[in-house]
Amino acid sequence: PDGARRCRVGPVAPAGTDAYLSPSPATGMTLIAELTYRSPLMEATAAALPGTTFRMEDLQLVEGGPGKFLFWAEGGGLDRLDDVLTDDHTVASFVQLTELADRRLYRVSFAGEMKERMTYLVAAANDIVYLELRSTHERTRIRARVPTREALRDYVETCREKGVDLQVESLYRADEERESRFGLTEHQREALVAAHEAGYFDTDRGATLAEIAAGLGISRQALAGRLRRGHRQLIGATLT
């Protein structure tokens, strides 16, 4: 979390614990949750292509029909993706929709038991909206808008009952997230600018993380987290 701009709602707890899910009085504020898990869907595909990132474009659910996942595949291994998807037993069908120089857009369908394992089915039932979903061979990461902590708790518990072990990494109020150009929060931008001005990114570093953090009045760990998330956001907004 980025300091006060990404405040936890309720008791502070270590990331990935169920303390985020404890009941709380209704505040009328929309919450943003960041979650991670190992998806059972397309798991073989992700494992076979460790250099590939799968980024959600859309999710489509039709009553009585298959669940459809539209995603951009980016990174290495794109020339093997069709063959790997063909061999993936969780995929009912797929089609490549667009091919660009560095990425491809696919639509994958999940049917029967595999459709029932889509976490978005549970999210939709709890009025939870996925804002971002990215998968690699290591983990799937979701940023979602949730109406209440109770809805988040029901979502996580139901997914776990389906064999999907969701972990809540952070939870904060949507109105506390101030985003600037390129999608950076104010605290991420402040950290990046301070590090740049201090020469932290130079070959011969002009300052340490601890020194920059002291100047900002935050811990070294908090600064490292802001820089990491800021870099990730900048790369995603400008290079992908």
Side-chain angles (χ1 to χ4, degrees), residues 29-35 123 126-132 142-148 151-152 155 171-172 174 177:
M29 296 290 184
T30 298
L31 307 175
I32 302 295
E34 296 182 356
L35 309 102
N126 287 281
D127 296 323
I128 293 173
V129 178
Y130 285 0
L131 303 175
E132 181 181 7
I142 296 173
R143 187 167 65 91
R145 181 183 299 116
V146 300
T148 63
L152 178 62
Y155 166 60
L171 180 66
Y172 49 93
E177 185 176 45

Side-chain angles (χ1 to χ4, degrees), residues 1-182:
D2 290 325
R5 295 297 182 186
R6 285 196 170 194
C7 61
R8 302 194 191 284
V9 181
V12 175
T17 71
D18 291 341
Y20 288 119
L21 309 180
S22 58
S24 61
T27 64
M29 296 290 184
T30 298
L31 307 175
I32 302 295
E34 296 182 356
L35 309 102
T36 63
Y37 68 104
R38 290 189 64 86
S39 175
L41 301 176
M42 291 177 55
E43 186 173 17
T45 295
L49 302 172
T52 304
T53 297
F54 306 92
R55 178 168 56 85
M56 178 190 73
E57 177 70 17
D58 193 17
L59 283 161
Q60 301 173 353
L61 301 176
V62 179
E63 187 175 357
K68 297 181 180 181
F69 177 40
L70 279 74
F71 64 86
W72 287 98
E74 308 165 341
L78 297 184
D79 56 332
R80 298 178 52 216
L81 184 52
D82 283 23
D83 290 338
V84 174
L85 285 171
T86 299
D87 294 336
D88 193 324
H89 74 281
T90 67
V91 175
S93 63
F94 71 90
V95 59
Q96 180 182 311
L97 302 175
T98 302
E99 180 173 2
L100 302 178
D102 58 348
R103 56 181 175 159
R104 297 178 184 179
L105 179 65
Y106 281 80
R107 183 180 68 234
V108 166
S109 295
F110 303 112
E113 178 186 351
M114 297 307 161
K115 178 184 177 181
E116 293 304 313
R117 301 191 74 179
M118 293 178 69
T119 59
Y120 190 67
L121 287 170
V122 185
N126 287 281
D127 296 323
I128 293 173
V129 178
Y130 285 0
L131 303 175
E132 181 181 7
L133 183 153
R134 286 176 177 261
S135 295
T136 67
H137 69 290
E138 296 179 331
R139 304 286 286 178
T140 293
R141 298 183 178 276
I142 296 173
R143 187 167 65 91
R145 181 183 299 116
V146 300
T148 63
R149 290 168 67 100
E150 288 70 26
L152 178 62
R153 183 189 65 241
D154 290 345
Y155 166 60
V156 170
E157 290 179 351
T158 302
C159 285
R160 288 176 176 173
E161 290 171 2
K162 292 175 175 285
V164 179
D165 187 18
L166 281 172
Q167 297 294 321
V168 181
E169 301 294 341
S170 64
L171 180 66
Y172 49 93
R173 284 168 37 176
D175 68 327
E176 295 293 338
E177 185 176 45
R178 304 286 192 262
E179 295 195 345
S180 63
R181 189 182 179 194
F182 304 125

